[in-house]
Amino acid sequence: EAELKHGRICMMAWLGFCAVDCGLRVYPLPEAYEGLTSVTAHDALVEYGAMGQLFLWFGLAEVIGTVALMQTLNGSGRAAGDYGLDPVGFLKDKSEEEINDMKLKEIKNGRLAMLAFSGVVTQAVLTQGPFPYV
C-alpha cells in the first residue's frame, strides 16, 4: 500500500516540479508568486499560507485513505492501492493477465519516479538553474 502511494505521489511530484520550472502556472497567479522557481517556491508558499491549505487537503485525503486501509486489514479483500477509481477505463474489458501487467507497470514506474524526484530536486538545488538542471 505504502509503496504504491509513494510512487503515485512521486509521479505527480516530478511532473509538477518540472512543469513549474518550464513556465507552466495556474492563473490568475498572485503577484507574490511571480518569478518563483520550484526550489524557491516552498519558502514563499509557507510565508503566504498556501502550504497550510495543502496540509489540510492532503491530511483529509490521508484520513479517507485510512478508512480503506482499515478495511483491508480487517479482511475486506480489497487489493493494496485499489480505491475502485478508474474514470478513464484503463482496466475496462481487460483480462486478469492484462490487469496484472498494468499493475506491474504502475509499481515499476512508481519506483522510478521515487528515484527521479529525489534526483531532480537534488540537481535543481545544486545547479540553481532552470529545467533540465544542468
Side-chain angles (χ1 to χ4, degrees):
E1 184 89 20
E3 185 177 21
L4 279 169
K5 184 184 290 188
H6 286 99
R8 289 171 180 169
I9 289 169
C10 284
M11 285 187 257
M12 292 183 289
W14 184 90
L15 181 63
F17 195 93
C18 294
V20 167
D21 284 345
C22 287
L24 293 170
R25 301 287 192 268
V26 176
Y27 292 98
L29 187 68
E31 287 181 31
Y33 300 166
E34 289 289 331
L36 292 177
T37 66
S38 295
V39 175
T40 61
H42 178 273
D43 293 339
L45 294 176
V46 168
E47 183 179 337
Y48 291 104
M51 289 299 229
Q53 284 188 22
L54 289 172
F55 182 70
L56 171 73
W57 293 111
F58 288 135
L60 181 64
E62 284 295 316
V63 168
I64 293 168
T66 301
V67 172
L69 181 61
M70 296 309 288
Q71 289 175 348
T72 301
L73 294 174
N74 290 330
S76 69
R78 177 185 155 271
D82 183 9
Y83 294 98
L85 182 67
D86 188 16
V88 183
F90 284 124
L91 301 178
K92 187 178 180 182
D93 301 325
K94 300 274 192 214
S95 69
E96 190 67 30
E97 183 179 331
E98 291 172 314
I99 290 172
N100 288 335
D101 185 52
M102 291 288 281
K103 289 180 179 181
L104 181 62
K105 288 177 183 177
E106 179 184 21
I107 197 88
K108 285 184 175 184
N109 284 322
R111 289 171 180 164
L112 180 61
M114 287 185 260
L115 292 171
F117 184 67
S118 61
V120 78
V121 169
T122 301
Q123 191 69 12
V125 170
L126 290 176
T127 64
Q128 294 293 316
F131 183 82
Y133 315 113
V134 291

